[in-house]
Amino acid sequence: MISLNGDEAISHLSQALIEVNNKVLNTIRTGWSMFYSVIAPEFAPRIVPEKPDGTGKNVLEANYMNIEMLSSYGRDLWIPEFWRITPDGCASLIRGYMEDRSYSNKTLGRTPGTWLSPETVIRETAELVTHAKEFAKYFNTAVQVSFRCTWMGLGNRKLLDFHPSSDYFRCHEAQTDKRTTEKTYDIVELEAKWSTVVSDLSEPVLSLFGFEYCSPEFIENMKSQFIKIK
């Protein structure tokens, strides 16, 4: 495994992300992994300056917001996504909701922007935590990982799942449009208390809908479902 400590770290980021992605797939598979590095030259991540005026440190950036690169698969697996990662381990990710894909809504007879899947919220949070856990191993001096997760566009959505049989009749529509959770953990906690970390980060947003089941035990029992592609 390569190390990302030192001045040459930026040149090794792409390889590190490929290695991390492969490790994450052992636990979670979504069909469109977070911080995925497309190999095709026209889509591959690029080194760019940190700030719009050209100043700051170099960062690795991937912009998949305006391309439908997965259309050849015959399914709308593509999710708009933009990410940046710095050589010192700071990572930012912006992505749309899987629930708003045209493929999913056409298949289920639903309208984008009207529903949210608790299973998907938990699984994507679990993917983020797992990615951070594996990525942190590339930094010899890392002792903690800080998360800041924001969900937007929640207002008037209701809880539904990709399985039509799922029933959340005790839940209600969210009245708040935005929720942010922030937590810092020792790296050893990401391994030893993985389910607790996922619960800490995802429970506050699901509670806006009256969802009361987001305990570490509930998440641990869901683990086997995280390798199913929606």
Side-chain angles (χ1 to χ4, degrees):
M1 183 175 70
I2 62 176
S3 172
L4 293 178
N5 294 280
D7 294 337
E8 297 181 357
I10 187 71
S11 65
H12 300 306
L13 271 177
S14 290
Q15 180 59 37
L17 290 176
I18 292 172
E19 293 177 6
V20 169
N21 180 258
N22 289 333
K23 293 174 183 177
V24 172
L25 290 176
N26 292 327
T27 303
I28 301 169
R29 299 180 188 179
T30 62
W32 182 229
S33 300
M34 293 179 176
F35 300 104
Y36 185 69
S37 295
V38 177
I39 298 176
E42 63 269 34
F43 303 133
R46 300 186 179 167
I47 295 175
V48 300
E50 180 183 17
K51 300 179 182 180
D53 64 0
T55 62
K57 55 192 171 187
N58 281 346
V59 302
L60 191 66
E61 176 184 288
N63 188 343
Y64 307 136
M65 296 296 289
N66 300 310
I67 53 176
E68 298 183 4
M69 68 188 74
L70 297 181
S71 59
S72 60
Y73 283 81
R75 294 180 59 186
D76 183 17
L77 289 175
W78 168 64
I79 305 171
E81 178 173 300
F82 176 91
W83 59 256
R84 272 187 164 193
I85 294 185
T86 69
D88 56 358
C90 293
S92 300
L93 172 72
I94 301 171
R95 60 159 38 191
Y97 290 114
M98 294 182 73
E99 296 86 341
D100 292 347
R101 295 177 304 181
S102 59
Y103 169 83
S104 301
N105 285 279
K106 182 178 180 180
T107 302
L108 297 169
R110 297 174 185 169
T111 303
T114 64
W115 60 289
L116 192 70
S117 161
E119 180 180 320
T120 302
V121 170
I122 293 171
R123 188 180 64 245
E124 290 198 332
T125 304
E127 182 178 6
L128 181 67
V129 172
T130 304
H131 191 284
K133 173 175 68 72
E134 296 297 336
F135 191 49
K137 295 176 183 178
Y138 287 76
F139 299 89
N140 297 333
T141 59
V143 294
Q144 291 184 321
V145 175
S146 294
F147 295 91
R148 188 176 193 273
C149 306
T150 298
W151 288 264
M152 304 175 67
L154 301 175
N156 299 318
R157 288 180 186 257
K158 59 183 178 180
L159 293 186
L160 293 171
D161 246 317
F162 288 87
H163 313 290
S165 59
S166 299
D167 190 354
Y168 301 108
F169 69 95
R170 293 184 179 178
C171 298
H172 49 74
E173 292 184 358
Q175 300 302 306
T176 302
D177 200 58
K178 182 178 180 181
R179 185 67 170 101
T180 297
T181 59
E182 296 180 278
K183 290 278 186 177
T184 297
Y185 300 92
D186 291 339
I187 289 177
V188 293
E189 291 183 282
L190 300 186
E191 191 78 55
K193 299 181 179 180
W194 180 86
S195 297
T196 298
V197 175
V198 176
S199 175
D200 288 347
L201 295 173
S202 57
E203 189 278 334
V205 64
L206 291 176
S207 67
L208 299 179
F209 299 86
F211 188 85
E212 301 175 346
Y213 314 107
C214 196
S215 65
E217 295 75 20
F218 178 82
I219 291 169
E220 195 65 32
N221 290 332
M222 284 184 65
K223 224 173 179 181
S224 62
Q225 301 179 41
F226 292 163
I227 60 172
K228 297 178 181 179
I229 297 177
K230 292 292 185 289

